[in-house]
Structure formats: C-alpha cells, structure tokens
C-alpha cells in the first residue's frame, strides 16, 4: 500500500528526533529546488528526501539484522555504520511504505555514498543532503554556491570534503564514494 505524502511525512517523522526531522525538512525543500533547477521530477525528489533518513536512528543491531536476513549489501557491514541506514532505508521504503519507483529507491540508497553513474535524481538528493539550510561545516557555503552552477561540481566538492575529513580522522573511505567522486570528475573533464 502506497502512502499519501501527508501519511508518509507523519510516519517517517515519528521515527526520528525533532532535530533530524528538521534536517529532513531541509533536504525536502532543497531537493525540490534542485530538481526544478536541473529538470528532475520534484515529486520524486521530495519523496526520496522524506525517506532518505527513515532508518537513521534505528538500533545498529536492527539494521544489521535487516541487512543480513534480507540479502542486502553484506559488504556494507565492513564499513562505517553511518552508511547502513541508506540500504536499510530502501528496504523500509519498499516493505513498509510501498515505494516501488526505482529512481526514488536509488536516491535513498545512494544519498550518503554516491555511486558511479548516478542518476539525476540521485545527484539531486545526495547534494540536497549536503547543503540543506541546517548544515554548517567548513566549505558548505562554497558547495551551495556551486550547486547553482553545476550538480557535478557541487557533488565533487561535497565528496572531497567528506573524503578529506575521513582521511584526517584516519577512517576508512567507502569505495563507492571514491568511485562516485572519480566518475563525476571524469564527467566534468569530458565537458571541457
């Protein structure tokens, strides 16, 4: 059974602290703006944004169980637990909220890591997650500026920021993020 927009908002907002819901509202607003600016479907963008963090505050054990018991990407379990909620979020979107649109599911799945060959909607939601109004980190204003000019330039700047932070903290970088970043750099080089 597919949920109405209002029912989806009510169900998802109940699963997270108010501060995270405020973030989700910012991602919704930013996703719609970016979608309109770059020619993606604003309804798909908003739906993916509503659901992008649906599992973010679930217990780690519950996420691990869902990944293991449902044949989801087991490779993910070798990496930072902060990545798990995206994969689990896709499962929840399908199983609990009746989402079947592969574009929306892809945008939820890759909003944190990115991937090679990102769709327009995936780029929109991933970037919106980086630059929504509540975000405040060094370089976010530059990424926001770039977002008005080029999705790819802004995403490369966002991935570079994330990768740099992980390197500074001597943390493992998820390979898909490196592949996503490099793919976007190739796309930009091809445009020159």
């Amino acid at each position: 059974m597919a949920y109405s927009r209002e029912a989806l908002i009510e169900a998802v907002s109940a699963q997270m602290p108010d501060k995270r819901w405020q973030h989700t509202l910012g991602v919704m607003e930013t996703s719609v703006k970016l979608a309109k600016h770059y020619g993606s479907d604003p309804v798909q963008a908003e739906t993916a944004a509503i659901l992008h963090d649906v599992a973010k505050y679930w217990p780690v054990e519950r996420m691990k169980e869902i990944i293991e018991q449902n044949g989801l990407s087991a490779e993910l379990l070798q990496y930072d637990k902060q990545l798990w909620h995206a994969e689990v979020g896709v499962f929840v979107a399908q199983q609990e909220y009746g989402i079947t649109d592969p574009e929306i599911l892809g945008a939820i799945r890759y909003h944190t890591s990115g991937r090679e060959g990102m769709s327009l909607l995936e780029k929109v939601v991933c970037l919106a997650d980086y630059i929504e109004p509540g975000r405040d980190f060094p370089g976010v204003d530059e990424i926001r500026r770039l977002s008005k000019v080029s999705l790819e330039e802004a995403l490369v700047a966002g991935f570079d920021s994330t990768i740099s932070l992980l390197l500074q903290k001597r943390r493992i970088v998820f390979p898909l993020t490196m592949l996503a970043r490099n793919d976007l750099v190739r796309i930009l080089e091809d445009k020159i």
Side-chain angles (χ1 to χ4, degrees), residues 11-134:
V12 173
S13 64
Q15 298 193 44
M16 57 185 66
D18 185 57
K19 185 174 183 184
R20 179 53 51 165
W21 181 246
Q22 293 307 310
H23 160 74
T24 298
L25 289 172
V27 177
M28 289 164 57
E29 174 190 330
T30 306
S31 289
V32 169
K33 283 182 185 173
L34 289 171
K36 288 177 179 176
H37 185 75
Y38 287 104
S40 185
D41 184 315
V43 174
Q44 286 179 313
E46 184 180 59
T47 303
I50 292 168
L51 287 160
H52 84 285
D53 276 349
V54 67
K56 179 90 174 177
Y57 286 89
W58 288 18
V60 171
E61 299 77 28
R62 184 177 179 198
M63 286 193 282
K64 183 178 182 188
E65 188 177 288
I66 288 172
I67 291 169
E68 290 175 339
Q69 292 180 358
N70 295 286
L72 306 182
S73 178
E75 175 196 16
L76 214 48
L77 298 176
Q78 300 170 32
Y79 295 94
D80 195 308
K81 293 170 183 63
Q82 292 296 320
L83 296 167
W84 298 4
H85 76 280
E87 187 76 17
V88 173
V90 171
F91 180 80
V92 173
Q94 292 173 305
Q95 299 300 312
E96 292 187 23
Y97 301 113
I99 303 295
T100 58
D101 183 330
E103 283 280 313
I104 292 172
L105 297 172
I108 296 167
R109 176 173 281 123
Y110 301 113
H111 82 270
T112 301
S113 65
R115 71 172 177 103
E116 279 185 291
M118 290 175 80
S119 72
L120 179 57
L121 185 64
E122 289 167 2
K123 291 176 185 177
V124 161
V125 175
C126 183
L127 183 57
D129 189 36
Y130 265 113
I131 66 168
E132 62 90 5

Side-chain angles (χ1 to χ4, degrees), residues 131-184:
I131 66 168
E132 62 90 5
R135 291 287 199 200
D136 183 23
F137 59 87
V140 71
D141 290 333
E142 175 61 10
I143 299 170
R144 287 183 182 122
R145 187 191 67 73
L146 289 170
S147 75
K148 295 177 176 120
V149 181
S150 166
L151 274 175
E152 291 79 15
E153 289 282 2
L155 280 168
V156 168
F159 287 139
D160 284 353
S161 173
T162 297
I163 292 165
S164 177
L165 182 65
L166 291 170
L167 292 174
Q168 287 171 21
K169 292 183 173 187
R170 201 170 176 168
R171 304 282 298 277
I172 294 172
V173 177
F174 190 49
L176 210 51
T177 302
M178 288 299 299
L179 293 171
R181 183 239 180 236
N182 291 344
D183 187 50
L184 292 165

